[in-house]
Amino acid sequence: LCSLFQSCQAAVTKWMASCGWLLQAAAACGQGRRMLSGAFQRHKAGQFRLSQSCGGLIPAGGALPRLFYNTNKRLSAKDSLLAEEKVGPLTRLIEALGFTGPLKYSRWKVKVAALRMYTCCVEKTDYEEFFSRCHMPDTLNSWFLVAQLHVWMCLVRMKQEGRTGKYMCRYIVHCMWEDVEQRGKVMGINSSVLKKDLRSMVQHFYAALFGYDEGILSDDHVLAAALWRNLFNRSCEDPRQLELLVEYVRKQVQHLDALSGEHLLLTGEVSWRPLVESNARSILQPSAPVYNDEGL
């Protein structure tokens, strides 16, 4: 019994010591809460004094008034990047598998419009004027360099039209490679040589797209460098030629932005401003499109 009583007494002593430590910790926590509460009250009082000293411009909450940041101007699709279209999970699954989901217009209409747009790139462009003013040789490669510049400007415009515009971009590029291959065969280029040239053109095309995208989003120096690398093949020695092409690209992109997206998706008809004009800064407002019963 004596040993049992001693062991119980030792356990009680340890329990009291533990309770004392917990009480001290609780007291410290309470003191800490009181200190934080006091600091918060002083902080609020300091903010109130700052608000009074600033004439009420800064509220006691510490945040600036919303009227300093809010604006009633709403950004249009041309002023900002077009938001991605909201699609359902089934459409996302279909496109993840490599297929095309439902579009705004039927696929055959979009394909016909893409073919027309590419035709406008190669038939409504004065290549002789480009070759003459830019001192470019009259070859298939020079024709391709000028054509890909106009195709790129169409791709920039159509990517603003959501998923349907992106599908149209794919078919425009498809039409371009079909046309390049057919032109090479008509010119009598050997099949093995043509295949090698096409592989080189593909690499050059996607590198040019990256450079032109960077240039159109940057200043004229970056755009001029992209044109010097891709269009002139690093062989331009006259800065006036670069200045002319930079002005041409800027005004063409601005002109394409003024065209209706519905008009482009349904018809694919684009017009190009001349390479040299007296008032390059003016915008030629296109006429309103007219559609038939089939939407074309």
Side-chain angles (χ1 to χ4, degrees), residues 51-264:
S51 175
Q52 287 183 337
S53 63
C54 292
L57 292 178
I58 302 179
L64 290 177
R66 295 181 62 86
L67 58 90
F68 288 161
Y69 299 99
N70 284 351
T71 175
N72 294 326
K73 180 181 178 182
R74 295 183 179 273
L75 296 178
S76 62
K78 303 298 178 58
D79 297 328
S80 61
L81 294 177
L82 187 66
E84 290 291 335
E85 296 181 14
K86 294 182 179 180
V87 295
L90 181 59
T91 302
R92 290 197 296 266
L93 177 60
I94 292 175
E95 295 182 345
L97 294 175
F99 301 97
T100 303
L103 302 176
K104 185 177 181 181
Y105 303 105
S106 63
R107 298 182 190 178
W108 72 268
K109 288 185 179 181
V110 176
K111 288 184 178 181
V112 170
L115 180 58
R116 288 179 178 175
M117 183 171 290
Y118 174 73
T119 304
C120 292
C121 292
V122 297
E123 291 187 355
K124 293 187 178 182
T125 304
D126 192 349
Y127 288 91
E128 293 184 0
E129 186 178 14
F130 270 90
F131 295 161
S132 175
R133 292 189 176 274
C134 300
H135 299 162
M136 302 173 66
D138 190 359
T139 61
L140 177 63
N141 185 61
S142 297
W143 170 87
F144 173 73
L145 294 178
V146 177
Q148 79 169 359
L149 177 65
H150 292 80
V151 168
W152 164 75
M153 288 188 284
C154 290
L155 298 182
V156 170
R157 177 62 184 89
M158 297 315 301
K159 286 180 180 178
Q160 302 178 27
E161 300 302 324
R163 295 171 54 254
T164 307
K166 291 179 180 179
Y167 178 78
M168 188 171 175
C169 290
R170 288 161 46 190
Y171 203 75
I172 291 174
V173 175
H174 172 76
C175 294
M176 181 186 69
W177 293 125
E178 290 287 337
D179 187 29
V180 171
E181 185 176 4
Q182 291 299 323
R183 288 175 184 267
K185 291 179 180 180
V186 170
M187 294 177 64
I189 301 177
N190 188 14
S191 59
S192 59
V193 176
L194 180 59
K195 185 177 181 180
K196 181 179 179 181
D197 291 343
L198 284 174
R199 190 181 302 112
S200 176
M201 287 180 177
V202 169
Q203 296 175 356
H204 185 277
F205 175 71
Y206 289 105
L209 291 186
F210 181 81
Y212 289 150
D213 286 343
E214 182 185 14
I216 200 64
L217 294 174
S218 305
D219 56 11
D220 292 342
H221 298 85
V222 181
L223 181 58
L227 291 167
W228 177 74
R229 290 192 310 268
N230 299 293
L231 184 66
F232 292 97
N233 253 341
R234 304 174 185 265
S235 61
C236 178
E237 298 179 357
D238 190 354
R240 292 174 296 182
Q241 297 178 2
L242 285 174
E243 181 184 5
L244 178 64
L245 264 299
V246 167
E247 179 185 89
Y248 179 77
V249 171
R250 294 290 187 191
K251 69 183 180 183
Q252 292 293 3
V253 171
Q254 192 175 15
H255 175 65
L256 292 177
D257 283 343
L259 296 174
S260 168
E262 182 182 7
H263 165 70
L264 295 175

Side-chain angles (χ1 to χ4, degrees), residues 274-286:
L275 181 60
V276 179
E277 54 185 333
S278 58
N279 188 11
R281 294 182 179 273
S282 66
I283 280 295
L284 304 179
Q285 187 67 25

